[in-house]
Amino acid sequence: MTVNMTKGQAISLQKSDGGTLTAVRMGLGWQAAKRRGLFGSRTREIDLDASAVLFADKQPVDVVFFRHLQSDDGSVRHTGDNLVGGVGQGGDDEAILVDLQRVPVHIDQIVFTVNSFTGQTFQEVQNAFCRIVDETNGQELARYTLDGGGAYTAQIMAKVSRVGGGWQMTALGNPANGRTFQDLMPAILPHL
């Protein structure tokens, strides 16, 4: 059963049978919004990029994004860059896989971001979402839907944090501006 999350909501990432999750996928999906023009409606390709920034004691220690597809320790992996979105018509256009058992113990938070590399604002995007899936069985655990567009080019979507012996996901949904995860670092830090 999927939990539809609201901004700021946190959920524990536990299996329905009480077991611990071992691998999750953060999926990102989007479509270009149709724009009405003099000669009908049209869409423009939008290049959104998913990134995962790994933190230890509020310090960034690694990042996974379209130019660095795997964390240095191999526990976090990006499946590849999608330059247009909407491929799955509701499915994941980009995904980041996290092997929670392999994440080094000093990593205490992983923050997922989305940015418009080509600079279009979220006013030009529709049906954008971030979801967490149990990678061992394909069950969607949580979904955060980006509603309302906005005159910004990035979003701090969610984070997973170590809590006791397990992990917790928090939907952040904070708008920001920037073409890359580096541009977003000042906006990420208050959420750690």
Side-chain angles (χ1 to χ4, degrees):
M1 180 172 111
T2 299
V3 174
N4 288 312
M5 298 182 70
T6 58
K7 184 176 179 175
Q9 181 181 3
I11 64 162
S12 175
L13 295 179
Q14 296 289 322
K15 288 184 171 253
S16 57
D17 64 6
T20 303
L21 285 172
T22 58
V24 295
R25 172 174 19 112
M26 191 286 290
L28 167 67
W30 75 93
Q31 295 174 324
K34 292 193 184 305
R35 300 176 67 187
R36 300 213 35 90
L38 188 58
F39 301 106
S41 63
R42 60 185 171 89
T43 59
R44 181 174 162 196
E45 292 180 349
I46 307 256
D47 179 12
L48 295 185
D49 291 317
S51 301
V53 185
L54 289 70
F55 289 89
D57 267 344
K58 300 185 179 184
Q59 297 297 315
V61 295
D62 202 353
V63 66
V64 174
F65 71 118
F66 69 94
R67 288 193 180 140
H68 186 244
L69 294 176
Q70 184 168 297
S71 62
D72 293 338
D73 58 58
S75 65
V76 181
R77 185 172 52 87
H78 195 298
T79 59
D81 195 14
N82 179 320
L83 302 176
V84 297
V87 171
Q89 300 298 317
D92 298 338
D93 294 311
E94 289 193 13
I96 296 176
L97 306 171
V98 182
D99 184 340
L100 295 169
Q101 294 181 312
R102 289 185 54 204
V103 174
V105 294
H106 70 285
I107 303 294
D108 53 11
Q109 297 184 78
I110 302 171
V111 177
F112 298 101
T113 66
V114 177
N115 55 274
S116 173
F117 186 73
T118 47
Q120 292 102 333
T121 68
F122 279 86
Q123 291 169 324
E124 299 177 63
V125 177
Q126 67 182 15
N127 302 326
F129 65 87
C130 164
R131 68 186 191 135
I132 296 291
V133 175
D134 179 344
E135 195 60 15
T136 62
N137 63 15
Q139 178 185 2
E140 183 174 285
L141 304 171
R143 177 180 287 255
Y144 177 68
T145 302
L146 172 61
D147 291 326
Y152 47 87
T153 60
Q155 183 90 218
I156 314 302
M157 291 294 275
K159 71 177 180 177
V160 291
S161 311
R162 285 189 195 270
V163 177
W167 292 86
Q168 172 178 291
M169 177 187 175
T170 304
L172 299 171
N174 282 56
N177 283 297
R179 293 180 55 237
T180 66
F181 75 90
Q182 293 102 324
D183 299 336
L184 304 180
M185 290 307 289
I188 293 172
L189 294 177
H191 299 287
L192 301 178

